[in-house]
Coordinates of all heavy atoms in Angstrom, one line a residue:
M30 N -10.2 -14.0 -10.8 CA -11.4 -13.9 -10.0 C -12.2 -12.7 -10.5 O -11.6 -11.6 -10.6 CB -11.0 -13.7 -8.6 CG -12.1 -13.8 -7.6 SD -11.5 -13.6 -5.8 CE -10.6 -15.1 -5.6
P31 N -13.5 -12.8 -10.7 CA -14.3 -11.7 -11.1 C -14.3 -10.5 -10.1 O -14.2 -10.8 -8.9 CB -15.7 -12.2 -11.2 CG -15.6 -13.7 -11.3 CD -14.3 -14.0 -10.6
E32 N -14.3 -9.3 -10.6 CA -14.2 -8.1 -9.7 C -15.2 -8.2 -8.6 O -14.9 -7.8 -7.4 CB -14.4 -6.9 -10.5 CG -14.1 -5.6 -9.8 CD -12.7 -5.4 -9.4 OE1 -11.8 -5.8 -10.2 OE2 -12.4 -4.8 -8.3
A33 N -16.5 -8.6 -8.8 CA -17.5 -8.6 -7.8 C -17.2 -9.5 -6.7 O -17.7 -9.3 -5.6 CB -18.9 -8.9 -8.5
S34 N -16.5 -10.6 -6.9 CA -16.3 -11.6 -5.9 C -14.9 -11.4 -5.2 O -14.6 -12.1 -4.3 CB -16.4 -13.0 -6.4 OG -15.5 -13.2 -7.4
R35 N -14.1 -10.5 -5.7 CA -12.7 -10.3 -5.2 C -12.8 -9.6 -3.8 O -13.5 -8.6 -3.7 CB -11.9 -9.5 -6.1 CG -10.5 -9.3 -5.7 CD -9.6 -8.5 -6.5 NE -9.8 -8.9 -7.9 CZ -9.3 -8.3 -8.9 NH1 -8.5 -7.2 -8.8 NH2 -9.5 -8.6 -10.2
P36 N -12.1 -10.1 -2.8 CA -12.2 -9.4 -1.5 C -11.6 -8.0 -1.6 O -10.6 -7.8 -2.4 CB -11.3 -10.2 -0.6 CG -11.3 -11.6 -1.3 CD -11.4 -11.3 -2.7
V37 N -12.2 -7.1 -0.9 CA -11.7 -5.7 -0.9 C -10.5 -5.6 0.1 O -9.5 -4.9 -0.2 CB -12.8 -4.7 -0.4 CG1 -12.3 -3.3 -0.3 CG2 -13.9 -4.8 -1.4
T38 N -10.6 -6.3 1.1 CA -9.5 -6.4 2.1 C -9.2 -7.8 2.5 O -10.2 -8.6 2.8 CB -9.9 -5.5 3.4 OG1 -10.1 -4.2 3.0 CG2 -8.7 -5.5 4.4
E39 N -8.0 -8.1 2.6 CA -7.6 -9.5 3.1 C -6.4 -9.4 4.1 O -5.4 -8.7 3.8 CB -7.1 -10.4 1.9 CG -8.1 -10.7 0.9 CD -7.5 -11.6 -0.2 OE1 -7.3 -12.8 0.0 OE2 -7.2 -11.0 -1.2
F40 N -6.5 -10.1 5.2 CA -5.4 -10.3 6.1 C -5.0 -11.7 6.0 O -5.9 -12.6 6.2 CB -5.8 -10.0 7.5 CG -5.7 -8.5 7.9 CD1 -6.3 -7.5 7.2 CD2 -5.0 -8.1 9.1 CE1 -6.3 -6.2 7.5 CE2 -4.9 -6.8 9.4 CZ -5.6 -5.8 8.7
N41 N -3.8 -12.1 5.6 CA -3.4 -13.4 5.5 C -2.2 -13.8 6.4 O -1.1 -13.3 6.3 CB -2.9 -13.7 4.0 CG -4.0 -13.5 3.0 OD1 -5.1 -14.0 3.1 ND2 -3.7 -12.6 2.1
S42 N -2.6 -14.5 7.5 CA -1.6 -14.9 8.5 C -0.8 -13.7 9.0 O 0.5 -13.8 9.1 CB -0.7 -16.0 8.0 OG -1.4 -17.1 7.6
V43 N -1.4 -12.6 9.4 CA -0.7 -11.4 9.8 C -0.3 -11.4 11.3 O -1.1 -11.7 12.1 CB -1.6 -10.1 9.5 CG1 -1.0 -8.9 10.2 CG2 -1.9 -10.0 8.1
T44 N 0.9 -11.1 11.5 CA 1.5 -11.0 12.8 C 2.2 -9.7 12.9 O 2.9 -9.4 12.0 CB 2.4 -12.2 13.2 OG1 1.6 -13.4 13.1 CG2 3.1 -12.1 14.5
T45 N 2.1 -9.0 14.0 CA 2.8 -7.8 14.2 C 3.8 -7.9 15.4 O 3.6 -8.8 16.3 CB 1.9 -6.6 14.5 OG1 1.1 -6.9 15.7 CG2 0.9 -6.4 13.3
A46 N 4.8 -7.0 15.5 CA 5.8 -7.1 16.5 C 5.6 -6.3 17.7 O 6.1 -6.5 18.8 CB 7.1 -6.8 15.9
R47 N 4.7 -5.2 17.6 CA 4.6 -4.3 18.7 C 3.9 -5.1 19.9 O 2.9 -5.7 19.8 CB 3.7 -3.1 18.3 CG 4.4 -2.2 17.4 CD 3.4 -1.1 17.0 NE 4.0 -0.1 16.1 CZ 4.1 -0.2 14.8 NH1 3.5 -1.3 14.2 NH2 4.6 0.7 14.1
A48 N 4.5 -4.9 21.1 CA 4.0 -5.7 22.3 C 2.6 -5.3 22.7 O 1.8 -6.1 22.9 CB 5.0 -5.5 23.4
A49 N 2.3 -4.0 22.7 CA 1.0 -3.5 23.2 C -0.1 -3.9 22.3 O -1.2 -4.2 22.7 CB 1.1 -2.0 23.5
G50 N 0.1 -3.7 21.0 CA -0.9 -3.9 20.0 C -0.7 -5.2 19.2 O -1.1 -5.2 18.0
K51 N -0.1 -6.2 19.7 CA 0.3 -7.4 19.0 C -0.9 -8.1 18.4 O -1.9 -8.4 19.1 CB 1.1 -8.3 19.8 CG 1.7 -9.4 19.1 CD 2.7 -10.2 19.9 CE 3.4 -11.2 19.0 NZ 4.5 -11.9 19.6
L52 N -0.8 -8.5 17.1 CA -1.7 -9.3 16.5 C -1.0 -10.6 16.1 O 0.2 -10.5 15.7 CB -2.3 -8.7 15.2 CG -3.0 -7.3 15.3 CD1 -3.4 -6.8 14.0 CD2 -4.2 -7.5 16.2
K53 N -1.6 -11.7 16.2 CA -0.9 -13.0 15.9 C -1.7 -13.9 15.0 O -2.8 -14.3 15.4 CB -0.6 -13.7 17.2 CG 0.3 -15.0 17.0 CD 0.6 -15.6 18.3 CE 1.5 -16.9 18.1 NZ 1.8 -17.6 19.3
D54 N -1.2 -14.1 13.8 CA -1.7 -15.1 12.9 C -3.2 -14.7 12.5 O -4.1 -15.6 12.6 CB -1.5 -16.5 13.3 CG -1.7 -17.5 12.2 OD1 -1.5 -17.1 11.0 OD2 -2.2 -18.6 12.4
V55 N -3.5 -13.5 12.2 CA -4.8 -13.0 11.9 C -5.1 -13.2 10.4 O -4.3 -12.7 9.6 CB -5.0 -11.5 12.3 CG1 -6.4 -11.0 11.9 CG2 -4.8 -11.4 13.8
S56 N -6.2 -13.9 10.1 CA -6.6 -14.1 8.7 C -8.1 -13.9 8.5 O -8.9 -14.4 9.3 CB -6.2 -15.5 8.2 OG -4.9 -15.7 8.2
F57 N -8.5 -13.1 7.5 CA -9.9 -12.9 7.2 C -10.0 -12.1 5.9 O -9.0 -11.6 5.4 CB -10.7 -12.2 8.3 CG -10.3 -10.7 8.4 CD1 -11.0 -9.8 7.7 CD2 -9.2 -10.3 9.2 CE1 -10.6 -8.4 7.8 CE2 -8.9 -9.0 9.3 CZ -9.6 -8.0 8.6
S58 N -11.1 -12.1 5.3 CA -11.3 -11.3 4.1 C -12.7 -10.6 4.2 O -13.6 -11.1 4.8 CB -11.2 -12.1 2.8 OG -12.3 -13.0 2.8
V59 N -12.8 -9.4 3.5 CA -14.0 -8.6 3.5 C -14.3 -8.4 2.0 O -13.5 -7.9 1.3 CB -13.8 -7.3 4.2 CG1 -15.1 -6.5 4.2 CG2 -13.4 -7.5 5.7
A60 N -15.5 -8.7 1.6 CA -16.0 -8.5 0.3 C -16.6 -7.1 0.1 O -17.0 -6.5 1.1 CB -17.0 -9.6 -0.1
S61 N -16.7 -6.7 -1.1 CA -17.3 -5.4 -1.4 C -18.7 -5.4 -0.9 O -19.5 -6.3 -1.0 CB -17.3 -5.1 -2.9 OG -17.9 -3.9 -3.2
G62 N -19.1 -4.3 -0.2 CA -20.4 -4.1 0.4 C -20.6 -4.7 1.8 O -21.6 -4.4 2.4
E63 N -19.6 -5.4 2.3 CA -19.7 -5.9 3.6 C -19.3 -4.9 4.6 O -18.4 -4.1 4.4 CB -18.8 -7.2 3.8 CG -19.3 -8.4 3.2 CD -18.5 -9.6 3.5 OE1 -17.2 -9.5 3.4 OE2 -19.0 -10.7 3.8
L64 N -19.9 -4.9 5.8 CA -19.5 -4.0 6.9 C -19.0 -4.9 8.0 O -19.7 -5.8 8.4 CB -20.8 -3.2 7.3 CG -20.6 -2.2 8.5 CD1 -19.6 -1.1 8.1 CD2 -21.9 -1.6 8.9
V65 N -17.9 -4.5 8.5 CA -17.2 -5.4 9.5 C -16.9 -4.6 10.8 O -16.4 -3.4 10.7 CB -15.9 -5.9 9.0 CG1 -15.2 -6.7 10.0 CG2 -16.2 -6.8 7.8
G66 N -17.2 -5.1 11.9 CA -16.8 -4.5 13.2 C -15.7 -5.4 13.8 O -15.7 -6.6 13.7
V67 N -14.7 -4.7 14.4 CA -13.6 -5.4 15.0 C -13.5 -5.0 16.5 O -13.5 -3.8 16.8 CB -12.3 -5.0 14.3 CG1 -11.1 -5.7 14.9 CG2 -12.4 -5.4 12.8
L68 N -13.4 -5.9 17.3 CA -13.2 -5.7 18.8 C -11.9 -6.2 19.1 O -11.5 -7.3 18.7 CB -14.3 -6.4 19.6 CG -15.7 -6.0 19.3 CD1 -16.7 -6.9 20.1 CD2 -16.0 -4.6 19.6
A69 N -11.2 -5.5 20.0 CA -9.8 -5.9 20.3 C -9.5 -5.5 21.7 O -9.9 -4.4 22.2 CB -8.8 -5.3 19.4
T70 N -8.8 -6.3 22.4 CA -8.2 -6.0 23.7 C -6.8 -6.4 23.7 O -6.4 -7.5 23.4 CB -8.9 -6.8 24.8 OG1 -10.3 -6.5 24.8 CG2 -8.4 -6.4 26.2
P71 N -5.9 -5.5 24.0 CA -6.0 -4.1 24.5 C -6.4 -3.2 23.3 O -6.3 -3.6 22.1 CB -4.7 -3.7 25.0 CG -3.7 -4.6 24.2 CD -4.5 -5.9 23.9
P72 N -6.8 -2.0 23.5 CA -7.2 -1.0 22.5 C -6.1 -0.8 21.5 O -6.4 -0.5 20.3 CB -7.6 0.2 23.2 CG -7.9 -0.2 24.6 CD -7.0 -1.4 24.9
E73 N -4.9 -0.9 21.9 CA -3.7 -0.7 21.0 C -3.8 -1.7 19.8 O -3.3 -1.4 18.7 CB -2.4 -0.8 21.7 CG -2.1 0.3 22.7 CD -2.8 0.1 24.0 OE1 -3.4 -1.0 24.3 OE2 -2.8 1.0 24.9
A74 N -4.3 -2.9 20.0 CA -4.4 -3.9 18.9 C -5.4 -3.4 17.9 O -5.1 -3.6 16.7 CB -4.9 -5.2 19.5
L75 N -6.4 -2.7 18.2 CA -7.4 -2.2 17.3 C -6.7 -1.1 16.4 O -6.9 -1.0 15.2 CB -8.6 -1.6 18.0 CG -9.7 -1.1 17.0 CD1 -10.2 -2.3 16.1 CD2 -10.9 -0.6 17.9
R76 N -5.9 -0.3 17.1 CA -5.2 0.8 16.4 C -4.2 0.1 15.4 O -4.1 0.6 14.2 CB -4.4 1.7 17.4 CG -3.6 2.8 16.7 CD -2.9 3.7 17.7 NE -2.2 4.8 17.1 CZ -1.0 4.7 16.6 NH1 -0.3 3.5 16.6 NH2 -0.5 5.7 16.0
E77 N -3.5 -0.9 15.8 CA -2.6 -1.6 15.0 C -3.3 -2.2 13.7 O -2.8 -2.1 12.6 CB -1.9 -2.7 15.8 CG -0.8 -3.4 15.0 CD 0.5 -2.6 14.8 OE1 0.6 -1.6 15.5 OE2 1.3 -3.0 14.0
F78 N -4.5 -2.7 14.0 CA -5.3 -3.3 12.9 C -5.6 -2.2 11.9 O -5.5 -2.4 10.7 CB -6.5 -3.9 13.5 CG -7.6 -4.3 12.5 CD1 -7.5 -5.6 11.9 CD2 -8.6 -3.5 12.2 CE1 -8.4 -5.9 11.0 CE2 -9.6 -3.9 11.3 CZ -9.4 -5.1 10.6
A79 N -6.1 -1.1 12.4 CA -6.4 0.0 11.5 C -5.2 0.5 10.7 O -5.4 0.8 9.5 CB -7.1 1.2 12.3
L80 N -4.1 0.7 11.3 CA -2.9 1.1 10.6 C -2.5 0.1 9.5 O -2.1 0.5 8.4 CB -1.7 1.3 11.6 CG -1.8 2.4 12.6 CD1 -0.7 2.4 13.6 CD2 -1.8 3.8 11.8
L81 N -2.6 -1.2 9.8 CA -2.3 -2.2 8.8 C -3.3 -2.1 7.6 O -2.9 -2.2 6.4 CB -2.4 -3.6 9.4 CG -1.2 -4.0 10.3 CD1 -1.6 -5.2 11.2 CD2 0.0 -4.2 9.5
A82 N -4.6 -2.0 7.9 CA -5.6 -2.0 6.8 C -5.4 -0.8 5.9 O -5.7 -0.9 4.7 CB -7.0 -2.0 7.5
A83 N -5.0 0.3 6.5 CA -4.7 1.5 5.7 C -3.4 1.5 5.0 O -3.1 2.5 4.2 CB -4.9 2.7 6.5
G84 N -2.5 0.5 5.3 CA -1.2 0.5 4.7 C -0.2 1.5 5.3 O 0.8 1.8 4.7
L85 N -0.5 1.9 6.5 CA 0.4 2.9 7.1 C 1.5 2.2 7.9 O 2.4 2.9 8.4 CB -0.4 3.8 8.0 CG -1.5 4.7 7.3 CD1 -2.3 5.5 8.2 CD2 -0.8 5.6 6.3
T86 N 1.4 0.9 8.1 CA 2.5 0.1 8.7 C 2.5 -1.2 8.1 O 1.5 -1.6 7.5 CB 2.3 0.1 10.3 OG1 3.4 -0.5 10.9 CG2 1.1 -0.7 10.6
S87 N 3.6 -2.0 8.3 CA 3.7 -3.3 7.7 C 3.7 -4.4 8.8 O 4.2 -4.1 9.9 CB 5.1 -3.4 6.9 OG 5.1 -2.5 5.9
P88 N 3.2 -5.5 8.5 CA 3.2 -6.6 9.4 C 4.6 -7.2 9.5 O 5.4 -7.1 8.6 CB 2.2 -7.6 8.9 CG 2.2 -7.4 7.4 CD 2.5 -5.9 7.2
L89 N 4.8 -7.9 10.7 CA 6.1 -8.6 10.8 C 6.1 -9.8 9.9 O 7.1 -10.1 9.2 CB 6.2 -9.1 12.3 CG 7.4 -9.9 12.7 CD1 8.7 -9.1 12.5 CD2 7.3 -10.4 14.1
S90 N 5.0 -10.5 9.8 CA 4.8 -11.6 8.8 C 3.4 -11.6 8.3 O 2.5 -11.0 8.9 CB 5.2 -12.9 9.4 OG 4.3 -13.2 10.5
G91 N 3.2 -12.2 7.2 CA 1.9 -12.3 6.5 C 1.7 -11.1 5.6 O 2.6 -10.3 5.4
T92 N 0.5 -11.0 5.0 CA 0.3 -10.0 4.0 C -1.1 -9.3 4.3 O -2.0 -10.0 4.8 CB 0.3 -10.5 2.6 OG1 -0.7 -11.5 2.4 CG2 1.6 -11.0 2.1
V93 N -1.2 -8.1 4.0 CA -2.4 -7.3 4.0 C -2.7 -6.8 2.6 O -1.8 -6.1 2.1 CB -2.4 -6.1 5.0 CG1 -3.7 -5.4 5.0 CG2 -2.0 -6.6 6.4
I94 N -3.8 -7.2 2.0 CA -4.2 -6.8 0.7 C -5.4 -5.9 0.8 O -6.3 -6.2 1.5 CB -4.5 -8.0 -0.2 CG1 -3.4 -9.0 -0.2 CG2 -4.9 -7.5 -1.6 CD1 -2.1 -8.5 -0.9
A95 N -5.3 -4.7 0.2 CA -6.5 -3.8 0.2 C -6.6 -3.2 -1.2 O -5.7 -2.8 -1.8 CB -6.2 -2.6 1.2
L96 N -7.9 -3.3 -1.7 CA -8.2 -2.8 -3.0 C -7.3 -3.4 -4.1 O -6.9 -2.8 -5.1 CB -8.1 -1.3 -3.1 CG -8.9 -0.5 -2.0 CD1 -8.6 0.9 -2.0 CD2 -10.4 -0.8 -2.2
G97 N -7.0 -4.7 -3.9 CA -6.2 -5.5 -4.9 C -4.7 -5.3 -4.9 O -4.0 -5.8 -5.7
K98 N -4.2 -4.5 -3.9 CA -2.8 -4.2 -3.8 C -2.3 -4.5 -2.4 O -3.1 -4.6 -1.5 CB -2.5 -2.7 -4.0 CG -2.9 -2.1 -5.3 CD -2.7 -0.6 -5.3 CE -3.3 0.1 -6.5 NZ -3.0 1.5 -6.4
K99 N -1.0 -4.7 -2.2 CA -0.4 -4.8 -0.9 C -0.8 -3.5 -0.2 O -0.6 -2.4 -0.8 CB 1.1 -5.0 -0.9 CG 1.5 -6.5 -1.2 CD 2.9 -6.7 -0.9 CE 3.3 -8.1 -1.0 NZ 4.7 -8.4 -0.7
A100 N -1.3 -3.5 1.0 CA -1.7 -2.3 1.6 C -0.7 -1.2 1.7 O -1.0 0.0 1.6 CB -2.3 -2.6 3.0
V101 N 0.6 -1.6 1.9 CA 1.7 -0.6 2.0 C 1.9 0.1 0.7 O 2.6 1.1 0.7 CB 3.0 -1.2 2.6 CG1 2.8 -1.7 4.1 CG2 3.5 -2.4 1.8
Q102 N 1.4 -0.4 -0.4 CA 1.6 0.2 -1.7 C 0.4 1.1 -2.1 O 0.5 1.6 -3.2 CB 1.8 -0.9 -2.8 CG 3.1 -1.7 -2.5 CD 3.2 -2.9 -3.5 OE1 2.2 -3.4 -4.0 NE2 4.4 -3.4 -3.7
L103 N -0.5 1.2 -1.3 CA -1.7 2.1 -1.6 C -1.2 3.6 -1.7 O -0.4 4.0 -0.9 CB -2.7 2.0 -0.5 CG -3.4 0.7 -0.3 CD1 -4.3 0.7 0.9 CD2 -4.2 0.3 -1.5
D104 N -1.8 4.3 -2.6 CA -1.5 5.7 -2.7 C -2.6 6.5 -2.0 O -3.5 5.9 -1.4 CB -1.4 6.1 -4.2 CG -2.6 5.9 -5.0 OD1 -3.8 5.9 -4.4 OD2 -2.5 5.8 -6.2
K105 N -2.4 7.8 -2.0 CA -3.4 8.7 -1.2 C -4.8 8.5 -1.7 O -5.7 8.4 -0.9 CB -2.9 10.1 -1.4 CG -3.7 11.1 -0.7 CD -3.2 12.5 -0.9 CE -4.0 13.5 -0.2 NZ -3.5 14.9 -0.5
N106 N -5.0 8.3 -3.0 CA -6.4 8.2 -3.5 C -7.0 6.9 -3.0 O -8.2 6.8 -2.7 CB -6.4 8.3 -5.0 CG -6.1 9.7 -5.5 OD1 -6.4 10.6 -4.9 ND2 -5.5 9.7 -6.7
D107 N -6.2 5.8 -3.0 CA -6.7 4.5 -2.5 C -7.1 4.6 -1.0 O -8.1 4.1 -0.6 CB -5.6 3.4 -2.7 CG -5.4 3.1 -4.1 OD1 -6.3 3.2 -4.9 OD2 -4.2 2.7 -4.4
R108 N -6.2 5.2 -0.2 CA -6.4 5.3 1.2 C -7.7 6.1 1.5 O -8.3 5.8 2.5 CB -5.2 5.9 1.9 CG -4.0 5.0 2.0 CD -3.0 5.5 2.9 NE -1.9 4.5 2.9 CZ -0.7 4.6 2.3 NH1 -0.5 5.7 1.7 NH2 0.1 3.6 2.4
C109 N -8.1 7.0 0.7 CA -9.3 7.8 0.9 C -10.6 6.9 0.7 O -11.6 7.3 1.2 CB -9.4 8.9 -0.1 SG -8.3 10.2 0.2
R110 N -10.4 5.7 0.2 CA -11.5 4.8 0.0 C -11.7 3.8 1.2 O -12.6 3.0 1.2 CB -11.3 4.0 -1.3 CG -11.3 4.9 -2.5 CD -11.0 4.1 -3.8 NE -11.9 3.0 -4.0 CZ -11.7 2.0 -4.8 NH1 -10.6 1.9 -5.4 NH2 -12.6 1.0 -4.9
I111 N -10.8 3.9 2.2 CA -10.9 3.0 3.3 C -11.4 3.7 4.5 O -10.9 4.8 4.8 CB -9.4 2.4 3.6 CG1 -8.9 1.6 2.5 CG2 -9.5 1.6 4.9 CD1 -7.5 1.2 2.6
G112 N -12.5 3.2 5.1 CA -13.1 3.9 6.2 C -12.8 3.3 7.6 O -12.5 2.1 7.7
Y113 N -12.7 4.1 8.6 CA -12.4 3.7 9.9 C -13.2 4.6 10.9 O -13.1 5.8 10.8 CB -10.9 3.8 10.2 CG -10.5 3.7 11.7 CD1 -10.8 2.5 12.4 CD2 -9.9 4.7 12.3 CE1 -10.4 2.4 13.7 CE2 -9.5 4.6 13.6 CZ -9.7 3.4 14.3 OH -9.4 3.3 15.6
L114 N -14.0 4.0 11.7 CA -14.9 4.8 12.7 C -14.4 4.4 14.1 O -14.8 3.3 14.6 CB -16.3 4.4 12.5 CG -17.3 5.2 13.4 CD1 -17.3 6.6 13.1 CD2 -18.7 4.6 13.2
P115 N -13.6 5.2 14.7 CA -13.1 4.9 16.1 C -14.2 5.1 17.1 O -15.1 5.9 17.0 CB -12.0 5.9 16.3 CG -12.3 7.0 15.4 CD -13.0 6.5 14.2
K116 N -14.0 4.3 18.2 CA -14.9 4.4 19.3 C -14.8 5.9 19.9 O -13.7 6.5 19.9 CB -14.5 3.5 20.4 CG -15.3 3.5 21.6 CD -14.8 2.5 22.7 CE -15.6 2.6 23.9 NZ -15.1 1.8 25.0
G117 N -15.9 6.4 20.3 CA -15.9 7.8 20.9 C -15.9 8.8 19.8 O -15.6 10.0 20.1
S118 N -16.2 8.5 18.6 CA -16.2 9.5 17.5 C -17.4 10.5 17.6 O -17.4 11.5 16.9 CB -16.2 8.8 16.1 OG -17.4 8.1 16.0
G119 N -18.4 10.2 18.4 CA -19.5 11.0 18.5 C -20.6 10.7 17.4 O -21.7 11.3 17.5
L120 N -20.4 9.8 16.5 CA -21.4 9.5 15.5 C -22.4 8.5 16.0 O -23.5 8.4 15.5 CB -20.7 8.9 14.3 CG -19.8 9.9 13.5 CD1 -19.1 9.2 12.3 CD2 -20.6 11.1 13.0
L121 N -22.0 7.7 17.0 CA -22.9 6.8 17.7 C -23.1 7.3 19.1 O -22.3 7.2 19.9 CB -22.3 5.4 17.7 CG -22.0 4.8 16.3 CD1 -21.3 3.4 16.5 CD2 -23.3 4.6 15.5
R122 N -24.3 7.7 19.4 CA -24.6 8.3 20.7 C -25.9 7.6 21.2 O -26.8 7.3 20.5 CB -24.8 9.8 20.7 CG -23.6 10.5 20.3 CD -23.9 12.0 20.3 NE -22.7 12.6 19.8 CZ -22.5 13.9 19.8 NH1 -23.4 14.7 20.3 NH2 -21.4 14.4 19.3
R123 N -25.9 7.5 22.5 CA -27.1 7.0 23.2 C -28.2 8.1 23.2 O -27.8 9.3 23.4 CB -26.9 6.6 24.6 CG -26.1 5.3 24.7 CD -26.0 5.0 26.2 NE -25.2 3.7 26.3 CZ -25.0 3.1 27.4 NH1 -25.4 3.6 28.5 NH2 -24.3 2.0 27.4
R124 N -29.4 7.7 23.1 CA -30.5 8.7 23.1 C -31.5 8.5 24.3 O -32.6 8.8 24.2 CB -31.3 8.7 21.8 CG -30.4 9.1 20.6 CD -31.1 9.9 19.6 NE -30.2 10.6 18.8 CZ -30.0 10.3 17.5 NH1 -30.7 9.5 16.9 NH2 -29.1 11.0 16.9
G125 N -31.0 7.8 25.3 CA -31.8 7.5 26.4 C -31.5 6.0 26.8 O -30.9 5.3 26.1
S126 N -32.0 5.7 28.0 CA -31.7 4.4 28.5 C -32.3 3.2 27.7 O -31.8 2.1 27.7 CB -32.1 4.3 30.0 OG -33.5 4.5 30.1
E127 N -33.4 3.5 27.0 CA -34.0 2.4 26.2 C -33.4 2.2 24.8 O -33.5 1.2 24.2 CB -35.5 2.7 26.0 CG -35.9 3.8 25.1 CD -35.7 5.2 25.7 OE1 -35.5 5.3 26.9 OE2 -35.7 6.2 24.9
N128 N -32.6 3.2 24.4 CA -31.9 3.1 23.1 C -30.4 2.9 23.3 O -29.7 3.9 23.6 CB -32.2 4.3 22.2 CG -33.6 4.5 21.9 OD1 -34.3 3.5 21.6 ND2 -34.1 5.7 21.8
R129 N -30.0 1.7 23.2 CA -28.6 1.4 23.4 C -28.0 1.0 22.1 O -28.6 0.4 21.3 CB -28.4 0.3 24.5 CG -28.9 0.7 25.8 CD -28.8 -0.4 26.8 NE -29.5 0.0 28.0 CZ -28.9 0.4 29.1 NH1 -27.7 0.5 29.1 NH2 -29.7 0.7 30.1
W130 N -26.7 1.2 21.9 CA -26.0 0.8 20.8 C -25.2 -0.4 21.1 O -25.0 -1.3 20.6 CB -25.1 1.9 20.1 CG -24.5 2.8 21.1 CD1 -25.1 3.9 21.7 CD2 -23.2 2.9 21.6 NE1 -24.3 4.5 22.5 CE2 -23.1 3.9 22.4 CE3 -22.1 2.1 21.4 CZ2 -21.9 4.3 23.1 CZ3 -20.9 2.4 22.0 CH2 -20.8 3.5 22.8

């Protein structure tokens, strides 16, 4: 597959075991240059998602590929290329009632 069309991140049938942040059979891919927003209930599921994408935890089943490698095999330099903007980070603020995000 040419580099330009290869997904930067892929979740393939990912399931996790943690009860509070459980993900079940999640599959999607993100191409280079795409910006993705993820909503999850409960909030622990979003945290679980971020940990998986950064390769800081492993799924119970399925695979997470990031930057062409299994996410758990990413090194420190690779992880620096993965962005995560948590809610409440202060980067997105309301500027009045007419300007909502």
Side-chain angles (χ1 to χ4, degrees):
M30 189 180 290
E32 189 68 33
S34 62
R35 184 182 314 175
V37 175
T38 302
E39 293 179 82
F40 275 53
N41 299 306
S42 301
V43 171
T44 298
T45 60
R47 291 179 178 85
K51 188 170 186 172
L52 303 176
K53 185 176 179 183
D54 196 27
V55 175
S56 295
F57 70 93
S58 64
V59 179
S61 180
E63 288 185 315
L64 180 64
V65 177
V67 178
L68 302 175
T70 303
E73 292 82 5
L75 186 57
R76 180 179 183 278
E77 186 73 15
F78 171 84
L80 290 172
L81 288 163
L85 299 174
T86 189
S87 298
L89 179 65
S90 64
T92 57
V93 179
I94 306 294
L96 307 173
K98 304 175 187 177
K99 282 190 173 184
V101 294
Q102 295 173 337
L103 295 173
D104 61 26
K105 183 179 177 181
N106 293 328
D107 291 329
R108 287 194 178 104
C109 289
R110 297 175 57 199
I111 298 172
Y113 168 60
L114 180 65
K116 179 181 176 184
S118 66
L120 294 177
L121 299 173
R122 294 183 187 187
R123 289 186 179 182
R124 296 217 162 113
S126 60
E127 70 283 348
N128 296 325
R129 298 178 189 257
W130 33 282

